[in-house]
Amino acid sequence: MTVEARARFLRDQKGTVVGILGIYRDITERKQIEEALRQAHAELEQRVQQRTADLARTNEALRAEIAERKRAEDAARAAEREYRALFENAVEGIYRSSLDGHQLRANPALVKLNGYESEAEMLPAVNNIATEWYVDPHRREEFQRILAEQESVTAFESEVYRHKTRERIWISESARLVRDQHGTPLYYEGMVQDITTRKRAEEALQNDHIELEKRVRERTTALLHSNTALQAEIEERKRVETALRQNEEQYRDLFENANDVIGIGTLDHIITSINRRIEQILGYPREEFVGKYFHDFATPRSRALLEDRTRRRLAGDQVSPTVELELVHRDNSIVIVEGTAHIRRDPDGKPIDIQAIYRDITARKRAEAALEQLRQQHELILTSAGEGILGSDAQGRATFVNPIGARMLGYEVHELLGQPLHDQIHHHKADGTPYPFAECPSLQVVRNGHTARVTNEVYWRKDGTSFPVEYLTAPIRNNANEVIGFVSTFRDITERKEVERIKDELISTVSHELRTPLASLRGFAELMLKRNFTPEKQHELLSVIHNEAIRLTHLIDDFLDLQRIEGGHQPYTFVSLALEPLFRNSLELFAKVGGSHLLRLELASALPRVRGDANRLRQVLVNLISNAIKFSPHGGEIEIGARTETHQVVVWVKDQGVGIPHEALPKLFTKFFRVDNSDTYNISGTGLGLALVREIVHAHQGKVWVDSTPRVGSTFFFTLPSHR
Ligand code: ADP
C-alpha cells in the first residue's frame, strides 16, 4: 500500500502540544492506475508503430489492426473510467465555502493548489469563487444546481485558475451541501483533486489518437487506392491470362490438329517438338522424333539435298524456303513432302530455333507422275507416229503439229502453230487451181461433225512443192459435245503412188513379155493345126514352139525368183565359201554349151573365203556370164576375175561385146529394163537377170556396178565381204 501522510501538532491555548493530527491517504490505486495508464500508453504507441508498418502489407491486416486498436482503446477507456471512479473520492484539497462564493476553509493542499502559502493568506483573497476560480464563469452555477438538487456532487471536473498565480489547471471536485438542523443550507464542503496531469495525458492521448486515426485513415485511403489499383491490375491480369490461355489453347489446337506437320527444331536441326500429324505420315509415335535429326527420316538423296541447302545458306547464298523431300515411312515406303522452314528470332533478331511445316504431297506427286507419264505417252505416240498429225481449232488455226508432220511439210513445228492451216498447206488443188477454204473437207468436218477420209489431194510444202496425201479428219468435241476443232492424220502417199505406178507398169510389161512368146506359141500351133507339114517341117516348127516354151518358163522362173527375193521370202544359207571352186563350177556349165567365146579365169592368189550362199552366188555368176556371152554377138574373150581388197573380194565379168549406152546405166538393174537399140535388136531376154543379181549381191552385204563403153565392152563388178 502506498500512503500519503501529513501530520500536525495540536496545541492548547498556551501553545502546549496536546496531540498530533495525522492524515493518511491511500494512493496505491492512483499510482497503480497511473502506471497502468503509462504502460497502456507505451504499449499503444508501440502497437501503433508496429501496426503502421503492418498496414503497408495488407489491407486485411490493417482492418485487423484497427479492430485490435478499438479493443485496446476500449480497454483504455475502461481503465480510465475505473481511474475516475477511484479518484472521485480521493481528496487532494479540502475546503468549505459559503453559498455566496467565499472561501471559508481550505486545507494546506488546497492552499498549495491555489498557489498560496497559508490558509490565512488565501481566505481573505477569495471573494467570488464563481468568477475568480472557474475558468468557465457558469461552472459554479452548475456546481450549485447539482448540489441543490442532489445534496452532493462527485467527480465534478472543471478547469480552474490557481487563484494566486492564475495558472489554469484541471480539478475534480466532490462536495456536499451542509445544512443546519432546520435544513437551511449553511455551506459547501468538498474535496479537490488536481487532475491536470491526467487531463494533459488524456488530452495528449486524445491528440495522439486523433493523429493516429488520421494516419490510419490516410494509410487506409492510400492502401485502399493502391488496393483498388492492385485489384484492377489483378482483374486485368486475370483477363489477359484467360485470353492468353484461350489463345494458347487455340494455338495448341491448331498445332496438334493441323493437317500439316509442324515441327520445331534447334538451329542444328534437332527436333524439339512436333505435332501428331507426323504419326500419320511416317507411322512412328511422335515421341520417337524428339531429340533426333530431321535428316534421319529422309532418304539419302533428300539428306544430301538438305545438307547442301544448309551449306549454301551458311555460305550466304539465297536458298528457297520451300523444299521437296522424300521421307521414309516406318513400313519403308517413300513419303514425299513439301516443306517450308524458317528461322524464328527473338525481338533482337537473334536466331532462336527453326520452325518447319511439311505437307504430304505423295498423292499429288503420284498423280502428277501418272499424268506426266500419260503426257509423255501421248507425246510419244504423237511424235513417234509415222503419220503427220495436225490439230486445229474450229477456225482452222493449228493448235498441234507433230514433228513428223511438220517435217513432211518442210516447216518447224512452231512455224505452223497458230497459223491458218488451209492457207499454209492446202491452198491449191493437185491440178494447180486455187482451193478455197470454204471447200476444205476439214471445214466440213467442223460444220457437220462427221469424220472425213480424203485420198486424192495434195499438201503444199513450205518450199512451194506439193506431195500427194491421204488424210483422215476427225472432229474434236468439248464436254458439251460441241465441235471445237479437228484433228487430221495425213500420210505422204508419193511412194505408194510410185509403187502403184510401178505395179501398173509391171503388169503391162509382164503381160507384154508373156504375150510375145505366147503369141508365137499360138501362131506356130495354129499353123501346124491348119496345114499338113512334112515331118521335117513339123520338127522345125515344134522346135520353135519348144524354145518359146523354154523362154516362157525362164521368164516365169526369173520373175518368181525375183518376186520371192524382193518379198524377202528367199531363204539364204550363208556359209564360209571358197570362191575358186564356185567359179570353176560355173564355167563348166558354159563349156558344155560351147560357142565362139573364150572364157578365161583371172583369180588373185590366196583369195580369202567369203560368207555366202553358194547356189545364189552361182546364179549371179551364171547371169553375168550368160549376159556377157549374149551381148557379145561377135564373140571375143570373157574374163572372170577376182581380187582381194580390204575386208572384201571384188569379182568381175568382163566382155568385149556391144556395151551399154551411158543414159541406160542408171536403170540397168531395175526389173524388165532392157536396152532397146540396133545392137540388142536380136538379143532376147526378160530384163530380170540384173535385177536378180542386184538383190542377191545386196543380200550378201555387197555392191554391184558396171563399167561399159558401147561397142567396146562391159565389165560388171560386185563385191563380197571376206569371211573372218
Ligand atoms: P536380159 O539380159 O534378159 O535382157 P538383164 O536384166 O540381164 O535382162 O539385162 C538387162 C539389159 O542390160 C539387157 O537387156 C542389156 O540391154 C543390158 N546388158 C546386160 N548385160 C549386158 C552386157 N554384158 N553387155 C551389154 N548390155 C548388157
Side-chain angles (χ1 to χ4, degrees):
M1 179 202 284
T2 310
V3 290
E4 193 179 70
R6 302 261 173 79
R8 189 159 31 105
F9 293 111
L10 295 175
R11 295 170 198 270
D12 60 14
Q13 276 120 345
K14 287 181 239 145
T16 314
V17 174
V18 292
I20 299 170
L21 176 67
I23 293 171
Y24 298 88
R25 206 151 43 123
D26 181 353
I27 58 161
T28 311
E29 269 176 310
R30 199 193 82 197
K31 282 283 180 197
Q32 280 171 349
I33 283 159
E34 270 175 12
E35 178 59 20
L37 190 69
R38 200 187 53 75
Q39 274 176 8
H41 186 73
E43 192 182 321
L44 198 62
E45 194 66 64
Q46 190 195 353
R47 277 195 191 159
V48 165
Q49 272 167 18
Q50 194 181 326
R51 289 286 182 255
T52 306
D54 291 348
L55 274 173
R57 280 179 228 136
T58 78
N59 195 36
E60 206 49 48
L62 185 67
R63 280 205 198 92
E65 169 63 15
I66 290 167
E68 171 67 10
R69 274 295 303 151
K70 279 251 158 34
R71 209 184 50 71
E73 210 180 291
D74 289 347
R77 281 227 176 79
E80 188 233 45
R81 259 198 310 278
E82 199 180 350
Y83 162 88
R84 201 185 303 156
L86 286 167
F87 270 74
E88 267 169 2
N89 298 311
V91 182
E92 172 71 22
I94 300 170
Y95 68 84
R96 184 177 295 158
S97 62
S98 65
L99 299 178
D100 65 353
H102 282 87
Q103 197 72 38
L104 302 177
R105 284 297 314 271
N107 71 345
L110 190 65
V111 170
K112 198 174 170 220
L113 183 119
N114 279 297
Y116 292 101
E117 292 297 321
S118 66
E119 193 179 14
E121 185 194 355
M122 179 181 153
L123 293 183
V126 179
N127 295 310
N128 186 346
I129 289 172
T131 56
E132 290 170 10
W133 205 50
Y134 290 102
V135 173
D136 176 3
H138 305 294
R139 193 63 187 153
R140 174 102 178 143
E141 282 171 28
E142 177 66 10
F143 178 77
Q144 285 178 314
R145 191 185 57 75
I146 294 168
L147 282 173
E149 287 170 7
Q150 300 172 3
E151 298 295 308
S152 70
V153 68
T154 47
F156 188 80
E157 291 185 3
S158 312
E159 193 175 16
V160 299
Y161 297 106
R162 277 192 213 281
H163 197 267
K164 188 173 176 184
T165 62
R166 306 315 290 167
E167 180 195 352
R168 281 155 77 138
I169 56 166
W170 276 89
I171 53 104
S172 175
E173 292 175 84
S174 300
R176 65 190 178 95
L177 178 61
V178 180
R179 300 170 190 271
D180 63 10
Q181 56 265 47
H182 312 296
T184 312
L186 293 176
Y187 49 83
Y188 303 116
E189 244 179 24
M191 289 161 284
V192 173
Q193 188 199 350
D194 184 347
I195 59 163
T196 308
T197 316
R198 197 201 84 203
K199 271 285 181 194
R200 296 269 142 81
E202 259 182 29
E203 218 166 77
L205 192 65
Q206 188 64 28
N207 286 341
D208 272 8
H209 187 74
I210 288 166
E211 174 67 14
L212 194 65
E213 284 280 13
K214 199 177 116 212
R215 274 159 60 194
V216 165
R217 251 198 319 277
E218 278 171 11
R219 289 285 162 87
T220 307
T221 313
L223 273 171
L224 266 175
H225 280 146
S226 77
N227 198 280
T228 313
L230 273 170
Q231 204 68 29
E233 198 180 315
I234 286 165
E235 283 303 314
E236 175 65 14
R237 287 256 160 92
K238 272 191 188 148
R239 212 182 50 70
V240 169
E241 212 179 288
T242 311
L244 275 174
R245 202 169 36 245
Q246 279 170 356
N247 262 2
E248 199 242 282
E249 273 165 17
Q250 275 175 12
Y251 282 125
R252 201 180 28 231
D253 203 51
L254 275 177
F255 177 77
E256 284 301 348
N257 299 319
N259 205 28
D260 297 338
V261 172
I262 304 176
I264 313 270
T266 61
L267 292 172
D268 40 7
H269 303 281
I270 296 172
I271 302 168
T272 51
S273 85
I274 195 156
N275 69 349
R276 214 173 285 137
R277 183 80 174 107
I278 193 76
E279 299 182 350
Q280 291 160 346
I281 290 184
L282 291 190
Y284 299 96
R286 69 166 149 176
E287 294 71 33
E288 297 247 333
F289 294 89
V290 175
K292 299 217 174 107
Y293 284 97
F294 190 76
H295 300 192
D296 295 347
F297 297 92
T299 61
R301 198 154 63 115
S302 289
R303 205 175 304 150
L305 176 73
L306 283 171
E307 279 157 11
D308 179 59
R309 282 166 62 86
T310 308
R311 237 191 324 277
R312 282 193 293 140
R313 201 182 283 122
L314 286 176
D317 288 359
Q318 277 284 355
V319 178
S320 146
T322 310
V323 63
E324 209 175 282
L325 297 175
E326 295 167 342
L327 305 181
V328 184
H329 190 274
R330 193 179 200 162
D331 66 11
N332 271 333
S333 62
I334 300 292
V335 177
I336 304 170
V337 296
E338 184 182 74
T340 321
H342 78 268
I343 295 176
R344 298 199 301 181
R345 295 169 189 279
D346 66 11
D348 302 329
K350 211 177 108 226
I352 309 170
D353 56 16
I354 297 175
Q355 183 190 297
I357 297 178
Y358 292 95
R359 179 165 302 168
D360 184 355
I361 57 163
T362 313
R364 196 185 87 198
K365 274 280 151 189
R366 289 211 182 111
E368 272 175 19
L371 260 178
E372 174 58 18
Q373 205 181 349
L374 210 61
R375 197 192 62 74
Q376 280 177 4
Q377 270 176 16
H378 284 164
E379 177 121 351
L380 202 68
I381 289 167
L382 293 174
T383 54
S384 61
E387 300 184 342
I389 301 176
L390 303 170
S392 163
D393 60 18
Q395 284 71 47
R397 273 189 300 269
T399 53
F400 177 80
V401 179
N402 71 341
I404 286 176
R407 199 156 52 237
M408 281 158 72
L409 293 162
Y411 286 95
E412 295 291 326
V413 169
H414 69 86
E415 289 179 306
L416 282 172
L417 290 179
Q419 297 299 316
L421 276 173
H422 183 86
D423 294 353
Q424 220 68 26
I425 63 168
H426 206 203
H427 40 81
H428 282 78
K429 296 181 183 172
D431 61 8
T433 56
Y435 198 157
F437 180 42
E439 291 173 23
C440 180
S442 296
L443 188 67
Q444 307 311 315
V445 168
V446 171
R447 290 195 176 142
N448 61 29
H450 298 310
T451 299
R453 174 183 286 276
V454 178
T455 54
N456 55 352
E457 293 192 343
V458 292
Y459 277 173
W460 295 86
R461 297 192 186 93
K462 188 182 180 183
D463 64 8
T465 60
S466 67
F467 58 96
V469 285
E470 176 183 274
Y471 63 87
L472 184 85
T473 299
I476 301 174
R477 295 174 188 275
N478 64 8
N479 290 340
N481 209 32
E482 297 157 346
V483 177
I484 53 162
F486 63 83
V487 59
S488 290
T489 43
F490 68 94
R491 190 181 298 161
D492 180 345
I493 55 170
T494 308
E495 236 170 73
R496 206 184 73 194
K497 287 245 167 191
E498 178 64 11
V499 167
E500 277 168 7
R501 194 190 57 74
I502 290 169
K503 207 182 262 170
D504 290 349
E505 205 179 270
L506 189 69
I507 286 166
S508 69
T509 316
V510 168
S511 47
H512 171 76
E513 292 296 331
L514 290 176
R515 202 172 276 137
T516 314
L518 272 178
S520 63
L521 277 176
R522 196 178 142 192
F524 283 108
E526 275 173 5
L527 197 63
M528 282 184 77
L529 283 172
K530 280 179 182 161
R531 290 172 57 178
N532 284 324
F533 290 101
T534 59
E536 293 77 33
K537 193 67 183 171
Q538 276 182 15
H539 187 265
E540 191 191 323
L541 290 173
L542 281 173
S543 294
V544 174
I545 291 174
H546 183 236
N547 282 337
E548 282 300 305
I550 288 171
R551 203 163 81 84
L552 199 58
T553 308
H554 276 151
L555 178 66
I556 292 170
D557 282 350
D558 275 0
F559 188 64
L560 289 178
D561 265 2
L562 190 61
Q563 284 298 99
R564 208 168 46 233
I565 288 169
E566 277 185 343
H569 306 304
Q570 174 63 53
Y572 284 88
T573 313
F574 290 111
V575 293
S576 177
L577 273 183
L579 283 172
E580 194 176 334
L582 191 70
F583 287 173
R584 291 197 189 285
N585 182 274
S586 304
L587 281 178
E588 274 165 21
L589 284 176
F590 293 97
K592 281 178 194 158
V593 174
S596 56
H597 300 90
L598 177 65
L599 298 181
R600 197 165 61 83
L601 204 53
E602 181 74 43
L603 294 182
S605 57
L607 269 183
R609 294 170 81 85
V610 295
R611 192 173 161 275
D613 182 319
N615 286 331
R616 295 294 145 206
L617 287 181
R618 192 179 298 116
Q619 199 176 1
V620 168
L621 281 172
V622 167
N623 268 335
L624 292 178
I625 294 167
S626 69
N627 275 352
I629 293 170
K630 207 162 64 175
F631 293 99
S632 309
H634 309 295
E637 187 189 77
I638 294 170
E639 180 187 293
I640 297 109
R643 66 167 187 270
T644 310
E645 281 189 358
T646 326
H647 305 314
Q648 65 183 5
V649 175
V650 181
V651 181
W652 65 88
V653 176
K654 183 178 179 185
D655 64 50
Q656 296 168 340
V658 296
I660 302 157
H662 184 71
E663 65 276 11
L665 289 176
K667 292 182 176 173
L668 206 64
F669 293 90
T670 57
K671 272 180 286 189
F672 297 111
F673 179 81
R674 307 195 71 218
V675 175
D676 193 9
N677 61 21
S678 54
D679 291 332
T680 61
Y681 180 68
N682 264 327
I683 302 169
S684 67
T686 62
L688 292 171
L690 285 181
L692 257 172
V693 165
R694 186 180 65 172
E695 288 300 324
I696 293 169
V697 170
H698 282 179
H700 280 76
Q701 319 292 328
K703 282 189 289 187
V704 60
W705 71 98
V706 64
D707 258 3
S708 182
T709 309
R711 308 264 166 90
V712 174
S714 312
T715 310
F716 283 82
F717 297 91
F718 69 93
T719 60
L720 291 171
S722 48
H723 182 72
R724 274 158 291 167

